[in-house]
């Protein structure tokens, strides 16, 4: 790392945003063009896209429907952009984000190839001082992190890994130029949403693919297809209704959960409904009954249906047994959708190795050694996920009031108020931070909500001559309690080994990180907080030495007030 730039090179700004994915781009536009502030974005990659910039692995595809995986803040943009498929591939999402960045002339304010190392709050000047890897310094009043929830990769540390003679890649840091698997023996570790996407594609060209599965997973067909001209026409005429739907329902996806319950219908009728949902494909499968996501007995029937489907697809009985030996409730871990995943195990160049019963002991120079033997491979693919939701923030040395370190505050797990702020870190906003619905939703929906909430908040501060805002300790503690309360009403508690709980990273504190109370309820709470002059936050004016904490009502009462908006997970 080079030395920091001399002081006279410090870039002074109203706002610095970290990250140029969906969140960073829209936040830049919102604060620069709508509020007229001086704003820059710093981005580690050399292009826009965030998680989509890095995740270029074969088969990378969004599991939200394209027309909902879009910005809805600008009518013209909605009218101009046409998605080509039901589920957009990685390259198309990156094209879309470039289109947005160019349309709104955002790139001139983005500093690429620039990774934030530290961000320290200077209390006497009420400024954040931010240092980046090329040694650039920024000084800003507001610091907004738009670093994504799934951006810091998890590469497990197996003994002997550095002695491996072949090439290895993590799906979340895929080389720009791609990887040629033709005629190669490939080993892949991981069968989460990512692994389920890569496996069918790698199998097409590899001489042999060995899949190392630790946990078997449910998956429903994506039924991906080109969007027809008729559907495109329908979209153009109905964006307002779609917007209303995705912004008012529980998970930001363009479907509503059915009212009917699993046991309200006959066995035959239930089978038909599951069958129809399976054929339609995609994430809406879980919405075909109202109680699949809440009631374990209802969930068991959905799980049983999927397992029967897997058995009907996979010809080898042993392989089918490994694939259906699933240890969690359907949807309690992120439910993948796929294209030919289970079918791929019928190929004679694909082998499934169960590394739960026969764990990986080491990586050898030639391949992967499990308890039962060694598998020689030329290329090793780690589809092993992310240190989700916290690592990207903790990788930055963030220090708030009196040198308070975020790493210390989060030592036992992340704590925030609304996922938006942490007590002790004034004017630091964390878009889709832990404690917000984020990964449980179609991401652009919570992103737009956070960006607009932050814009309104800063606008309110300017109008009222308030120079800092900071979550109070009390509201943060109450929010953390509330996160636990709501998750206990869901089936997520049946998969405490998921990355939602931080369980995929050895030594990471365990606790459910996203907010499971539903986007509708969350939005209502955020609106109430803002409408009540930012109850739960401490606001003040450093120039006049005044600090003001809105009295009003406490957060737990507020939460009860909006419980009525609850709509499932
Ligand atoms: P996930 O969902 O965290 O999946 C990672 C996979 O890697 C999963 O099958 C893990 O098994 C496996 N894994 C992780 N560490 C190991 C070790 N040490 N040994 C064997 N297997 C391991 O990440 P994805 O990238 O698939 O998806 C993340 C999100 O990105 C997804 O939800 C979408 O939103 C996009 P495990 O299940 O932990 O036993």
């Amino acid at each position: 790392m080079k030395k920091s730039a001399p002081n006279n090179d410090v870039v002074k700004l109203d706002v610095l945003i970290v990250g140029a994915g969906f969140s960073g781009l829209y936040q830049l536009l919102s604060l620069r063009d709508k509020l007229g502030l001086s704003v820059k974005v710093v981005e580690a990659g050399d292009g826009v896209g965030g998680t989509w910039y890095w995740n270029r692995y074969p088969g990378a595809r969004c599991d939200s429907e394209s027309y909902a995986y879009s910005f809805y803040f600008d009518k013209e943009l909605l009218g101009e952009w046409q998605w080509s498929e039901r589920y957009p591939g990685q390259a198309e999402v990156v094209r879309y984000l470039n289109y947005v960045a160019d349309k709104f002339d955002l790139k001139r304010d983005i500093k690429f190839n620039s990774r934030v190392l530290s961000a320290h709050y200077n209390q006497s000047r009420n400024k954040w001082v931010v240092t980046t890897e090329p040694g650039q310094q920024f000084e800003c009043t507001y610091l907004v992190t738009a670093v994504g929830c799934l951006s810091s990769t998890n590469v497990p540390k197996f003994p002997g890994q550095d002695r491996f003679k072949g090439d290895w890649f993590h799906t979340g840091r895929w080389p720009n130029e791609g990887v040629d698997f033709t005629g190669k023996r490939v080993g892949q570790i991981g069968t989460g949403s990512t692994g389920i996407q890569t496996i069918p594609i790698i199998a097409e060209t590899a001489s042999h693919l060995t899949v190392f599965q630790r946990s078997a997973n449910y998956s429903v067909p994506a039924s991906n297809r080109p969007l027809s001209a008729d559907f495109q026409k329908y979209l153009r005429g109905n964006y307002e209704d779609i917007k209303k739907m995705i912004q008012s329902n529980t998970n930001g996806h363009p479907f509503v959960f059915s009212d009917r319950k699993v046991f309200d219908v006959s066995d035959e009728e239930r089978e038909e409904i599951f069958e129809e949902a399976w054929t339609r494909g995609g994430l809406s499968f879980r919405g075909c009954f109202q109680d699949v996501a809440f009631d374990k007995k209802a969930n068991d029937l959905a799980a049983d249906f999927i397992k029967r489907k897997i058995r009907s697809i996979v010809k080898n009985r042993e392989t089918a047994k490994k694939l259906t030996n699933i240890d969690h409730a359907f949807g309690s871990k992120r439910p993948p959708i796929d294209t030919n995943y289970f079918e791929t195990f019928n190929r004679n160049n694909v082998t499934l190795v169960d590394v739960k019963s026969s764990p990986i002991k080491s990586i050898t120079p030639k391949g992967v050694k499990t308890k039962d033997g060694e598998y020689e491979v030329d290329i090793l693919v780690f589809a092993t996920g992310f240190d989700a939701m916290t690592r990207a923030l903790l990788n930055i040395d963030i220090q708030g009031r009196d040198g308070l370190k975020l790493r210390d505050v989060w030592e036992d797990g992340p704590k925030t108020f609304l996922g938006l702020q942490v007590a002790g870190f004034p004017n630091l906003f964390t878009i889709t931070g832990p404690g917000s619905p984020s990964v449980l939703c179609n991401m652009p929906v919570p992103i737009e909500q956070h960006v607009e909430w932050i814009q309104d908040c800063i606008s309110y501060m300017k109008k009222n001559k308030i120079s800092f805002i900071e979550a109070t300790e009390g509201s943060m503690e109450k929010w953390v309690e509330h996160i636990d309360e709501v998750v206990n009403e869901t089936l997520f508690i049946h998969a405490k080994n998921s990355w939602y709980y931080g369980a995929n990273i050895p030594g990471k504190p365990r606790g459910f990180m996203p907010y499971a109370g539903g986007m509708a309820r969350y939005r209502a709470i955020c609106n109430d907080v803002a409408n009540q002059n930012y109850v739960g936050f401490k606001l003040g004016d450093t120039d006049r030495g005044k600090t003001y904490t809105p009295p009003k009502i406490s957060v737990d009462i507020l939460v009860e007030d909006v419980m009525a908006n609850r709509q499932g997970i």
Side-chain angles (χ1 to χ4, degrees):
M1 187 190 100
K2 286 183 206 158
K3 278 194 179 154
S4 298
N7 222 15
N8 55 7
D9 281 352
V10 173
V11 179
K12 299 195 172 174
L13 300 165
D14 293 319
V15 190
L16 184 72
I17 297 165
V18 188
F22 268 89
S23 328
L25 292 178
Y26 184 32
Q27 190 75 83
L28 167 60
L29 184 155
S30 118
L31 298 178
R32 185 191 72 181
D33 298 353
K34 294 187 186 160
L35 293 194
L37 302 179
S38 63
V39 189
K40 295 271 179 226
V41 174
V42 283
E43 162 59 52
D46 68 3
V48 301
T51 197
W52 294 104
Y53 171 92
W54 300 103
N55 281 270
R56 317 154 190 244
Y57 59 84
R61 191 171 287 287
C62 183
D63 53 13
S64 291
E65 311 239 359
S66 55
Y67 66 92
Y69 198 74
S70 303
F71 286 121
Y72 270 73
F73 65 81
D74 188 84
K75 268 193 190 155
E76 197 179 274
L77 172 65
L78 277 167
E80 283 167 5
W81 182 262
Q82 277 203 2
W83 292 102
S84 66
E85 292 178 276
R86 181 181 182 189
Y87 294 103
Q90 176 268 344
E92 191 170 18
V93 180
V94 171
R95 267 202 308 282
Y96 172 69
L97 290 173
N98 272 286
Y99 183 83
V100 172
D102 293 336
K103 177 176 171 67
F104 296 103
D105 193 17
L106 300 178
K107 287 180 187 165
R108 69 181 152 94
D109 286 312
I110 304 175
K111 188 128 187 66
F112 293 106
N113 300 305
S114 194
R115 180 178 292 280
V116 174
L117 297 176
S118 66
H120 294 175
Y121 177 66
N122 180 316
Q123 196 158 329
S124 60
R125 300 204 341 276
N126 188 35
K127 296 284 179 204
W128 282 93
V129 178
V130 178
T131 308
T132 65
E133 189 154 275
Q136 176 77 65
Q137 272 204 350
F138 295 85
E139 192 181 276
C140 52
T141 308
Y142 305 97
L143 177 62
V144 182
T145 59
V147 293
C149 299
L150 297 159
S151 46
S152 190
T153 54
N154 166 40
V155 182
K157 289 180 182 59
F158 295 108
Q161 210 149 310
D162 44 3
R163 286 183 296 136
F164 180 59
K165 291 265 188 283
D167 293 322
W168 71 267
F169 306 93
H170 187 284
T171 46
R173 287 289 176 278
W174 205 255
N176 225 335
E177 62 283 7
V179 177
D180 185 5
F181 294 104
T182 315
K184 304 278 189 200
R185 296 166 305 171
V186 182
Q188 176 171 307
I189 302 174
T191 52
S193 303
T194 301
I196 281 175
Q197 290 185 334
T198 53
I199 285 164
I201 309 290
I202 295 176
E204 282 171 12
T205 52
S207 67
H208 196 89
L209 172 63
T210 308
V211 176
F212 299 94
Q213 169 190 278
R214 186 166 68 183
S215 300
N217 221 333
Y218 300 97
S219 185
V220 171
S223 300
N224 187 36
R225 55 182 173 264
L227 293 182
S228 66
D230 277 354
F231 190 67
Q232 303 274 16
K233 194 168 155 215
Y234 160 80
L235 289 177
R236 278 194 296 280
N238 290 279
Y239 273 126
E240 279 309 316
D241 287 346
I242 297 166
K243 179 176 178 175
K244 243 180 246 154
M245 177 200 267
I246 62 175
Q247 293 192 347
S248 62
N249 72 13
T250 186
N251 56 22
H253 286 286
F255 61 84
V256 281
F257 278 64
S258 164
D259 290 339
R260 71 189 157 220
K261 292 188 170 180
V262 162
F263 296 104
D264 288 350
V265 296
S266 69
D267 291 353
E268 295 74 29
E269 213 179 325
R270 184 183 314 120
E271 194 70 6
E272 262 172 45
I273 292 166
F274 279 141
E275 192 66 50
E276 196 263 324
W278 177 270
T279 307
R280 195 175 56 245
L283 290 180
S284 64
F285 179 87
R286 63 187 144 152
C288 68
F289 287 103
Q290 184 241 309
D291 46 354
V292 162
F294 293 100
D295 180 66
K296 180 69 170 60
K297 287 199 175 112
N299 189 283
D300 284 346
L301 291 188
D304 176 64
F305 176 85
I306 299 175
K307 288 178 189 173
R308 282 188 281 120
K309 280 287 178 194
I310 300 172
R311 285 187 209 107
S312 74
I313 297 168
V314 179
K315 296 195 178 109
N316 181 299
R317 285 179 66 178
E318 266 313 297
T319 306
K321 201 169 155 196
K322 289 177 201 164
L323 287 166
T324 49
N325 187 15
I326 305 174
D327 66 355
H328 56 278
F330 170 61
S332 61
K333 283 184 172 182
R334 176 91 174 197
I337 58 175
D338 70 276
T339 303
N340 295 330
Y341 174 61
F342 295 114
E343 289 81 351
T344 299
F345 292 96
N346 292 333
R347 297 177 67 112
N348 54 19
N349 69 334
V350 177
T351 311
L352 181 66
V353 176
D354 173 7
V355 296
K356 189 162 262 169
S357 63
S358 175
I360 297 174
K361 291 279 174 208
S362 63
I363 306 291
T364 68
K366 288 184 181 166
V368 178
K369 193 168 186 177
T370 70
K371 196 174 119 237
D372 293 337
E374 185 172 0
Y375 299 84
E376 292 191 6
V377 298
D378 306 306
I379 299 176
L380 201 45
V381 174
F382 287 90
T384 42
F386 302 89
D387 188 344
M389 304 201 72
T390 52
R391 180 48 54 197
L393 288 167
L394 292 174
N395 276 344
I396 304 171
D397 170 24
I398 299 178
Q399 297 188 19
R401 272 187 205 286
D402 306 316
L404 182 67
K405 293 188 170 136
L406 187 67
R407 288 171 189 163
D408 291 339
V409 177
W410 285 7
E411 198 182 0
D412 299 325
K415 290 186 203 167
T416 66
F417 180 42
L418 304 173
L420 273 161
Q421 270 216 339
V422 184
F425 298 82
N427 295 350
L428 168 67
F429 295 98
T430 50
I431 302 183
T432 63
S436 70
S438 63
V439 290
L440 304 182
C441 299
N442 168 37
M443 283 301 282
V445 174
I447 285 171
E448 284 196 337
Q449 185 264 345
H450 264 191
V451 164
E452 288 164 10
W453 193 94
I454 292 167
Q455 179 196 317
D456 290 346
C457 176
I458 294 179
S459 170
Y460 172 92
M461 290 170 73
K462 293 244 153 225
K463 226 176 272 160
N464 293 286
K465 300 200 171 18
I466 290 164
S467 63
F468 73 85
I469 181 165
E470 176 187 343
T472 66
E473 243 346 289
S475 58
M476 190 167 79
E477 295 300 334
K478 279 188 180 135
W479 189 249
V480 171
E481 277 169 28
H482 179 58
I483 290 170
D484 273 352
E485 267 163 35
V486 294
V487 77
N488 286 333
E489 296 164 12
T490 71
L491 293 184
F492 290 120
I493 51 168
H494 289 274
K496 290 202 169 162
N497 60 352
S498 73
W499 59 259
Y500 293 144
Y501 277 91
N504 61 331
I505 305 296
K508 185 166 176 167
R510 302 284 177 100
F512 196 78
M513 293 183 289
Y515 176 68
M519 190 60 210
R521 175 160 37 156
Y522 176 80
R523 187 188 291 275
I525 294 170
C526 290
N527 288 346
D528 281 359
V529 164
N531 291 337
Q532 293 175 60
N533 300 318
Y534 297 91
V535 64
F537 291 91
K538 192 161 60 179
L539 298 94
D541 182 354
T542 42
D543 291 341
R544 287 180 293 168
K546 279 187 195 153
T547 302
Y548 161 70
T549 310
K552 303 275 168 39
I553 55 173
S554 64
V555 180
D556 47 350
I557 297 170
L558 193 66
V559 167
E560 274 167 28
D561 278 353
V562 290
M563 283 291 270
N565 291 317
R566 180 164 193 274
Q567 286 185 43
I569 288 185

